[in-house]
């Protein structure tokens, strides 16, 4: 994040965090990696870590480099239990945004959320 | 010329995750305490936890943007994993994750703090 145009306090329209595009990115990656997978307690920690890194790299390349990114991936086993996930953010609503996607198959569920905050 | 005052001197400009841990634990206990998992109340709980955490964090008055996420899951023997990957300034930004449980449910709260300039 060095030296580029530090006088910009709002991103240009084309460099804004676009939730729809990021959601597509997430969807592709998750569908490709998790379709047909079964929940396996040995593999899942590595899987969730690598999914998070993958998504972060893809979004970083697709968007502007003025955005700081936080990617959270939650994978759980499907056993008929109830789960609820929610989030609250304190940020600048003009410049910051988020995108999320949920993937469910009959042995696991996966929630991936990407939050992008602008670096002034 | 009088001396200039500097805001945000070095020791303050990093995220203190232990403080955040304490704040989050109190908030969870305040909202959920010893209640049992209930499908009808879970919406209220997650919203209450995130809102309380956010207001407490903001009261500290530090120049950060915050993202707080909370996942509440019923205990049925199923497994759950969370992973985070962040693209930010490692000297100033930070995160903290708190895992809490009671007899009938698990609660995982993550706080991400991103510095403003």
């Amino acid at each position: 994040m060095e030296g580029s145009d530090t006088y910009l306090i709002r991103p240009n329209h084309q460099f804004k965090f676009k939730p729809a595009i990021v959601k597509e990115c997430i969807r592709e990656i998750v569908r490709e990696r998790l379709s047909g997978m079964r929940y396996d307690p040995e593999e899942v920690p590595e899987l969730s870590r690598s999914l998070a890194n993958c998504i972060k790299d893809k979004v970083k390349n697709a968007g502007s480099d003025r955005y700081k990114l936080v990617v959270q991936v939650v994978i759980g086993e499907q056993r008929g239990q109830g789960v609820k996930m929610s989030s609250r953010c304190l940020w600048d609503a003009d410049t910051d945004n988020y995108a999320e996607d949920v993937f469910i198959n009959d042995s696991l569920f996966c929630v991936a959320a990407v939050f992008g905050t602008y670096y002034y | 010329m009088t001396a200039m005052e500097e805001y945000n001197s070095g020791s303050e400009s990093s995220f203190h995750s232990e403080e955040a841990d304490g704040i989050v634990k109190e908030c969870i206990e305040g909202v959920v305490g010893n209640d049992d998992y209930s499908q009808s109340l879970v919406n209220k709980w997650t919203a209450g936890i995130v809102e309380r955490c956010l207001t407490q964090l903001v009261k500290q008055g530090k120049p950060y943007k915050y993202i707080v996420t909370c996942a509440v899951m019923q205990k049925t023997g199923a497994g759950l994993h969370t992973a985070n990957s962040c693209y930010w300034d490692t000297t100033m930004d930070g995160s903290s994750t708190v895992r809490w449980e009671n007899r009938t449910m698990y609660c995982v709260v993550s706080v991400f703090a991103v510095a403003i300039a």
Side-chain angles (χ1 to χ4, degrees), chain A residues 11-18 21 62-64 67:
Chain A
N12 218 338
H13 180 74
Q14 61 195 138
F15 295 125
K16 253 186 147 162
F17 185 93
K18 295 185 186 104
I21 297 196
S64 109
Y67 273 92

Side-chain angles (χ1 to χ4, degrees), chain B residues 92-105:
Chain B
M92 304 200 291
D93 307 327
S95 72
S96 125
T97 306
V98 172
R99 280 162 229 87
W100 181 93
E101 64 181 277
N102 75 7
R103 210 174 46 94
T104 50
M105 59 181 159

Side-chain angles (χ1 to χ4, degrees), chain A residues 19-119:
Chain A
I21 297 196
V22 175
K23 184 173 165 123
E24 258 325 291
C25 281
I26 304 179
R27 204 162 249 238
E28 272 172 37
I29 297 183
V30 169
R31 244 129 265 245
E32 183 195 314
R33 298 283 294 272
L34 291 185
S35 291
M37 274 224 115
R38 302 210 58 79
Y39 182 88
D40 176 6
E42 317 276 309
E43 280 184 24
V44 165
E46 211 19 69
L47 180 58
S48 51
R49 234 169 280 145
S50 86
L51 257 178
N53 281 324
C54 236
I55 296 179
K56 179 196 70 175
D57 290 330
K58 185 142 194 211
V59 176
K60 195 162 72 138
N61 294 328
S64 109
D65 61 351
R66 287 300 282 268
Y67 273 92
K68 289 187 179 178
L69 299 171
V70 174
V71 176
Q72 186 173 41
V73 170
V74 178
I75 302 187
E77 193 181 356
Q78 264 259 47
R79 278 218 202 168
Q81 78 276 20
V83 190
K84 178 89 182 150
M85 194 164 146
S86 65
S87 72
R88 209 52 115 244
C89 310
L90 179 81
W91 58 25
D92 182 345
D94 291 338
T95 56
D96 306 329
N97 217 322
Y98 78 102
E100 56 170 18
D101 194 40
V102 179
F103 171 80
I104 308 188
N105 75 12
D106 46 0
S107 102
L108 56 74
F109 67 88
C110 171
V111 179
V114 177
F115 302 90
T117 63
Y118 188 69
Y119 183 68

Side-chain angles (χ1 to χ4, degrees), chain A residues 84, chain B residues 31-32 35-49 72 105:
Chain A
K84 178 89 182 150
Chain B
V31 175
V32 171
D35 298 341
D36 286 343
Y37 182 87
S38 137
Q39 178 72 11
S40 49
L41 287 178
V42 77
N43 266 343
K44 214 170 65 153
W45 285 336
T46 49
I49 293 175
V72 171
M105 59 181 159

